[in-house]
Amino acid sequence: TAAEKRTLDLQEAIVHRRSINQTLKDARITRREDWQLGPLAPKRDVGAQKDTYGTGNSRLMRGLELPESERTKEWPVAEGDRVVLMEGRDKGKIGVVKTTKKETEELTVEGLNMVDVAIPEHMLVNEIDKRPVRAYEAPVPLSSVRLVYPLPHPETGVVRDVIITKLNANSGTRRIPGLRMEIPWPPKEPEIHEDHDDDTLRMEVETQTWVPTLLRPPMPPSVLDELRNKFSVFRTRHDEDYIAKKLEEDVEKQWRKSLRKTLMTTPVKQLNRKERAEKKKRGKPKLSKDMLAKIGEVMAAKGAPGRVEEAVST
């Protein structure tokens, strides 16, 4: 349910935040010890951390998924766009968006915000590259990048790179507010289809294997049951065995209904049935002139003489 999902997201956020805080705490303690001890500081790149000391945690590099209500509906940047970083150690550098992840509102920029990541040993068993430490682009928030696009100078007409601080993306287009200028999306690379041995040849696909005639339907009879429900109430044509089965069910239903009427009758039900039959035989009652006069007298006695006089005068 939604409540359970919110609880799990909250628990994951707490664990994620505690891991980051513990990493920062350990780094501060290490820095303080190195500064205080100087040449006597312990050597930390030994043992299990001999080759991986100082590397980042790949699990902590990934951000937390945001609720759908807090996610950005239309992203102003896409894969292949040139963007500039607005914060971090690579602030001011321009790169190309490599990947995007809308669940966490993060993206990676090619060649920027590089971090060393330790690769677990079980992942190096089946790989050619046996390096225990590799450099990867760490994700950056969407709010920390701005689109860079070449635009002509309004006075000189010289085309130069411009940092677009505000960009509205809506219905598949993105525009600069106030300038009525549309910024095109980056071109997508054509999808490459590889041929395999079990692929169907085009010659076999284009070969006509079914020739309809007036003597038979344009498709096998079994296809009709696949296209529409075999027992649908809207179907006008059914199989003979299905019709016979339904008729038998109707007969059995009527028989059971009549059986209940004959067996499950009590004296009270018999009396009620007799009274209903006599009432139906008499028909609807009719008001006589004496009854109508009596009704008028009762209405006059209850304080409605005006209505009686009006009815009589008309």
Side-chain angles (χ1 to χ4, degrees):
T1 61
E4 294 177 352
K5 189 176 185 305
R6 286 195 298 269
T7 303
L8 293 177
D9 293 342
L10 181 59
Q11 294 176 355
E12 184 179 358
I14 293 174
V15 174
H16 189 271
R17 177 52 59 185
R18 285 178 178 175
S19 301
I20 294 177
N21 293 338
Q22 186 64 37
T23 303
L24 295 175
K25 183 179 179 180
D26 296 341
R28 293 191 187 99
I29 295 174
T30 301
R31 181 181 60 182
R32 187 181 301 110
E33 289 180 353
D34 292 344
W35 181 80
Q36 292 176 349
L37 299 178
L40 300 178
K43 188 176 182 181
R44 306 181 190 278
D45 54 344
V46 295
Q49 294 184 345
K50 180 180 180 180
D51 298 327
T52 61
Y53 180 74
T55 58
N57 191 337
S58 60
R59 182 174 59 84
L60 297 180
M61 287 173 54
R62 300 189 299 268
L64 297 175
E65 293 189 5
L66 299 176
E68 294 186 2
S69 58
E70 300 180 6
R71 298 177 188 174
T72 303
K73 303 299 180 182
E74 298 286 345
W75 276 40
V77 296
E79 297 180 4
D81 276 328
R82 298 173 64 240
V83 295
V84 59
L85 295 184
M86 306 300 293
E87 57 185 23
R89 60 180 179 179
D90 290 333
K91 179 180 179 180
K93 294 184 179 181
I94 299 176
V96 180
V97 177
K98 188 176 181 180
T99 59
T100 59
K101 190 174 182 180
K102 296 187 176 182
E103 291 79 6
T104 58
E105 289 203 357
E106 293 177 332
L107 51 89
T108 57
V109 184
E110 187 175 357
L112 298 182
N113 200 31
M114 302 293 293
V115 295
D116 294 332
V117 179
I119 308 300
E121 295 182 359
H122 67 274
M123 297 180 61
L124 299 175
V125 176
N126 298 326
E127 292 192 7
I128 300 177
D129 190 357
K130 301 296 183 180
R131 293 179 301 166
V133 178
R134 302 177 190 176
Y136 290 98
E137 295 91 350
V140 295
L142 176 63
S143 58
S144 64
V145 299
R146 297 293 185 271
L147 179 67
V148 177
Y149 193 78
L151 294 176
H153 194 276
E155 297 180 358
T156 62
V158 178
V159 178
R160 81 280 189 227
D161 286 339
V162 177
I163 299 177
I164 303 175
T165 58
K166 191 173 183 180
L167 192 64
N168 293 339
N170 189 12
S171 301
T173 61
R174 50 184 182 176
R175 299 177 181 273
I176 302 176
L179 298 181
R180 297 182 180 179
M181 183 180 298
E182 182 176 349
I183 304 298
W185 294 96
K188 295 182 179 180
E189 297 182 0
E191 188 176 356
I192 301 175
H193 300 278
E194 297 182 0
D195 295 335
H196 301 278
D197 297 336
D198 55 350
D199 291 343
T200 305
L201 300 179
R202 181 174 181 178
M203 178 180 60
E204 297 178 359
V205 175
E206 295 179 351
T207 303
Q208 187 176 5
T209 57
W210 174 264
V211 181
T213 63
L214 297 177
L215 301 178
R216 56 182 179 178
M219 62 186 70
S222 59
V223 178
L224 294 176
D225 296 335
E226 299 177 3
L227 296 178
R228 57 184 179 181
N229 187 7
K230 183 178 181 180
F231 309 106
S232 174
V233 295
F234 302 102
R235 186 167 177 175
T236 57
R237 292 176 295 179
H238 297 279
D239 299 335
E240 294 182 359
D241 55 347
Y242 176 74
I243 296 175
K245 181 181 177 181
K246 288 299 178 183
L247 291 176
E248 292 179 359
E249 292 178 358
D250 294 340
V251 172
E252 184 178 0
K253 186 176 180 181
Q254 293 293 336
W255 175 75
R256 291 183 178 277
K257 188 176 180 180
S258 60
L259 188 63
R260 286 197 299 268
K261 290 183 179 180
T262 56
L263 296 180
M264 302 296 294
T265 55
T266 61
V268 177
K269 289 184 177 180
Q270 293 179 358
L271 179 60
N272 294 337
R273 189 179 301 173
K274 182 178 179 182
E275 291 179 352
R276 287 195 299 269
E278 294 178 353
K279 186 177 180 181
K280 185 176 181 181
K281 186 177 180 181
R282 290 196 301 267
K284 296 182 179 181
K286 295 181 180 180
L287 294 176
S288 61
K289 293 182 180 181
D290 298 337
M291 293 181 180
L292 293 174
K294 188 63 176 177
I295 292 174
E297 294 177 359
V298 173
M299 292 175 62
K302 288 185 178 181
R307 296 181 181 178
V308 177
E309 294 176 358
E310 184 180 357
V312 173
S313 61
T314 54

